[in-house]
Each structure stands twice: as structure tokens, then as C-alpha cells.
Amino acid sequence: MEKLIMGIDPGTNFMGYAVISTQGKILKPRLIVSGVLDMDKIHDPYLKLQHIFQRSLQVIDSYHPDELAIESQFYGKNVQSMLKLGRAQGVAIAAALQRNIPIFEYAPKKIKMSITGNGMASKEQIAIFLSKFMDIRTTSENLDETDAIAIAFCHHLQGNLPTTGGSKCKNWIDYIKKNPDKLL
């Protein structure tokens, strides 16, 4: 059964968004839409929040995702930046709640670890790995967009963890035998 997952990389200057289609763990997820909401030239912080809410609802109403995956806040040294990011995240979540869409949050390290196996991976490394799992084109100009795709893909992976018949795999060869769909 097809499931549409919306991923959001919240931000107050740039917000990445994506919707991917998944069909269990057998087929590669397919990118339906992705983009970046550019608010860099908007100076009023409340207008930025309004744009985030409106664009989130627009994508939700156009593609009808089943679930929303969003990057959670992370601790930073700049408290003001964290508060602004929290507002952006809250507005995107409110848009999903407005349409009764279940919400799942993932820490940045969890997303990076799910995609690359390295919780400290760079945005560029995530983009490279994603292009191996999905048919996407990445450039250094759309890394917020790529992050949104990564968040949706991370959520897909969490719902489709490898099945090993109830027992742990003994080694990589055993893992591959039990999960042939995980090979690139």
C-alpha cells in the first residue's frame, strides 16, 4: 500500500519541504515534490511564520501526505536562533495538525545516522547518499530541500526496519541474505 510522507526541514530564512511515496520496503521511495520556501528577504518574523504555515498547508492540501516527519530542535549556543527555529517548527506542525496528519520528529543526528551511518555527516554527504537510494538531483544550492527529503526518507526507514525473522543477524552476509532489498 502506498504511503506519502512529507518531510520538513524547518527554518526562518529557508524551509525545505518534500513529499515521498513509499510502498513497503521492497521498492525505492519515489520523490513526488520538493522545494525550498525562501524567506530571506522577509524582515518581519511574523510574516515568515505566516508563509511557513501557508506553504505547509498548500503542500499538504495538494499532495495529501499520510504522515509528517520534521527535524526536531537541537541544542545550540545561540538561544535566539533556537527560539526562532522552534517557532518555525511549531507553525509547520500546526499546519499538519490542522489536517489531522500524524507528526514524527527526528533529531538531526538520527537523520544523519539513518542515511549515512554517521551522525556527524555533512549536508553534502547526506545529499550524495540520498542520490544512491532515490532518484534525485542534488546541488549545493538546494541542501535545505535535500534535508527535507532526508527527513522523509529517515521516517520511511524507521517504519521499515529490516526484518530478521525475530533473530539477530550473525554477520553482514546473514543480514544481506535476510534483507536483499537493502543492497544498492
Side-chain angles (χ1 to χ4, degrees):
M1 183 169 117
E2 181 183 45
K3 182 193 316 184
L4 296 180
I5 302 170
M6 182 174 178
I8 292 184
D9 180 27
T12 54
N13 289 324
F14 302 97
M15 179 189 84
Y17 61 89
V19 176
I20 65 171
S21 170
T22 65
Q23 299 228 349
K25 67 178 192 172
I26 296 172
L27 299 174
K28 278 181 159 182
R30 186 173 48 92
L31 181 63
I32 304 297
V33 68
S34 63
V36 174
L37 175 61
D38 183 349
M39 300 165 288
D40 199 33
K41 292 186 174 34
I42 301 171
H43 299 292
D44 184 333
Y46 301 107
L47 281 178
K48 288 182 179 195
L49 296 176
Q50 182 184 39
H51 281 11
I52 293 167
F53 185 80
Q54 288 173 340
R55 184 62 180 144
S56 297
L57 269 183
Q58 184 181 35
V59 173
I60 289 167
D61 289 343
S62 296
Y63 298 96
H64 307 288
D66 299 299
E67 298 170 342
L68 170 70
I70 190 165
E71 187 176 68
S72 64
Q73 288 187 18
F74 54 91
Y75 178 75
K77 292 182 182 180
N78 187 332
V79 176
Q80 286 299 320
S81 293
M82 281 181 49
L83 290 171
K84 289 176 185 176
L85 182 61
R87 286 178 174 177
Q89 181 192 33
V91 169
I93 288 172
L97 290 172
Q98 184 79 20
R99 298 297 188 255
N100 296 314
I101 297 172
I103 297 149
F104 300 86
E105 291 185 59
Y106 296 97
K109 282 189 177 185
K110 174 73 172 180
I111 297 162
K112 293 173 182 181
M113 184 65 87
S114 294
I115 307 295
T116 68
N118 176 1
M120 301 302 287
S122 69
K123 287 179 176 271
E124 293 80 8
Q125 289 171 319
I126 292 169
I128 290 167
F129 270 83
L130 268 180
S131 67
K132 295 180 185 299
F133 297 122
M134 299 177 67
D135 294 325
I136 61 169
R137 292 196 174 114
T138 59
T139 66
S140 60
E141 298 161 4
N142 65 355
L143 292 176
D144 293 300
E145 182 178 348
T146 306
D147 282 353
I149 298 168
I151 294 162
F153 189 71
C154 169
H155 180 63
H156 163 67
L157 292 175
Q158 302 314 302
N160 292 292
L161 294 174
T163 53
T164 59
S167 64
K168 291 187 178 183
C169 297
K170 300 175 204 160
N171 53 41
W172 280 110
I173 294 169
D174 187 34
Y175 175 83
I176 290 169
K177 282 180 186 173
K178 292 179 180 179
N179 298 282
D181 57 299
K182 297 294 179 187
L183 287 177
L184 296 179

